[in-house]
Amino acid sequence: MQNLTCFLANNVEKRTNKKVVISERIKNNGKPVEWEIRSISAEEDEVLRKSCTKKVPVTGKKNQFTQDFDSNAYLVKLAAKAVVYPDLNNAELQNSYGVMGAEQLIKVMLYKDEFDRLTELLVNSSEAEDINELIEEAKN
């Protein structure tokens, strides 16, 4: 039987933030600026998902409801929560785009393809994939 101490919180490695270029348009000294993105915990994700889910009455069926998940709102909330840099809560940055709030800022700051790149990294990126790639490289 294996020792369970490796599962104790103080023994588990923390994920490091990723730095990626989200927009080629945002530059510093002519070079695209890297954004810093953090991993979202399952608990944080649950809170985001619940905030984007509403009970909707079923048409023609009294006292019956279904759940309606707003995937667009979820992606915006997820992006606003995961982006560490730039600070989307910075008042000066929000003022420069004429918006209030991180969620509004991310929507006006990025074009659709840039926002899609960001959310693709957040939704489909996984450390497991990275580990599998490393294993395959080691085999070759």
Side-chain angles (χ1 to χ4, degrees):
M1 178 169 247
Q2 291 189 355
N3 186 344
L4 293 179
T5 59
C6 60
F7 291 98
L8 297 176
N10 59 337
N11 294 332
V12 176
E13 290 182 12
K14 304 294 182 228
R15 285 191 177 167
T16 57
N17 294 349
K18 293 182 180 180
K19 292 189 177 184
V20 293
V21 173
I22 298 300
S23 172
E24 299 288 332
R25 300 176 304 112
I26 302 170
K27 298 178 182 182
N28 186 15
N29 296 324
K31 295 177 74 177
V33 176
E34 289 183 322
W35 291 41
E36 186 175 350
I37 300 169
R38 70 180 186 88
S39 294
I40 300 295
S41 71
E43 184 177 34
E44 289 173 305
D45 187 60
E46 180 182 14
V47 170
L48 291 176
R49 288 181 182 278
K50 281 184 179 180
S51 73
C52 296
T53 304
K54 296 178 185 172
K55 283 186 177 180
V56 178
V58 176
T59 307
K61 301 206 178 187
K62 190 174 183 177
N63 296 326
Q64 289 190 5
F65 297 87
T66 185
Q67 292 188 344
D68 182 36
F69 179 68
D70 186 343
S71 59
N72 292 326
Y74 169 74
L75 291 174
V76 170
K77 288 176 184 283
L78 178 64
K81 187 89 169 165
V83 172
V84 175
Y85 181 81
D87 178 5
L88 300 176
N89 292 303
N90 180 284
E92 182 180 6
L93 186 56
Q94 291 176 10
N95 287 340
S96 76
Y97 285 91
V99 297
M100 289 184 63
E103 293 170 21
Q104 290 300 316
L105 177 60
I106 197 82
K107 290 192 296 186
V108 300
M109 187 181 208
L110 297 175
Y111 284 112
K112 182 192 176 310
D113 61 313
E114 296 164 338
F115 184 77
D116 289 348
R117 183 177 307 129
L118 173 60
T119 56
E120 178 76 20
L121 287 168
L122 296 172
V123 173
N124 294 326
S125 170
S126 99
E127 295 297 319
E129 290 175 11
D130 295 342
I131 290 170
N132 288 334
E133 288 175 15
L134 292 173
I135 291 169
E136 283 302 313
E137 286 179 25
K139 288 179 183 177
N140 296 332

